[in-house]
Amino acid sequence: MSAECSSYLNTDKVLVSGFSCPRTGGDVRAVYCCGFQDVKYCCDDPHSFFPYEHSYMWWLSVGALVGLSIAAVVLFAFIITVCVLCYLFISTKPRNKLDTGLSLQMTGKTTC
């Protein structure tokens, strides 16, 4: 089984001539033509969309997970802090109005 990769213009606008997969001196399992309009290569998986090793993507995923975990912990701590402060604010409010010692009722008749 083999595949034909047609010629294409790379990112530098240089014409790259077409080639057959697998390439001579290359991996014999790479029988499919993969890639995009500006880069084509032989690969062993017809659903492969990236010409490089995928191991670095695993580290990006781990880094993203660690970053999201830290952000989630910070957000959780912020929410807990706000809840505790609201509870303390509400629970320390006086239940009854304080007696100021001043009477606001009229004690006698006034004449004008």
Side-chain angles (χ1 to χ4, degrees):
M1 177 181 233
S2 67
E4 293 290 324
C5 285
S6 60
S7 59
Y8 62 95
L9 289 175
N10 65 10
T11 55
D12 297 328
K13 304 295 183 212
V14 175
L15 180 66
V16 178
S17 59
F19 53 91
S20 295
C21 295
R23 293 184 114 168
T24 53
D27 188 2
V28 294
R29 295 174 292 153
V31 294
Y32 300 102
C33 181
C34 299
F36 304 99
Q37 291 180 348
D38 58 351
V39 61
K40 293 183 182 181
Y41 57 95
C42 296
C43 64
D44 60 352
D45 180 9
H47 303 291
S48 174
F49 296 109
F50 208 69
Y52 307 108
E53 290 294 323
H54 298 288
S55 62
Y56 79 94
M57 294 179 78
W58 169 250
W59 290 109
L60 288 177
S61 297
V62 170
L65 286 175
V66 168
L68 288 174
S69 299
I70 290 171
V73 167
V74 168
L75 180 63
F76 184 70
F78 176 76
I79 290 171
I80 294 296
T81 303
V82 168
C83 289
V84 167
L85 289 175
C86 285
Y87 172 76
L88 289 174
F89 178 75
I90 291 170
S91 68
T92 57
K93 276 182 131 181
R95 301 264 184 243
N96 300 328
K97 291 188 175 186
L98 294 176
D99 184 18
T100 60
L102 299 174
S103 176
L104 298 177
Q105 297 176 354
M106 293 188 351
T107 57
K109 287 187 173 183
T110 57
T111 58
C112 294

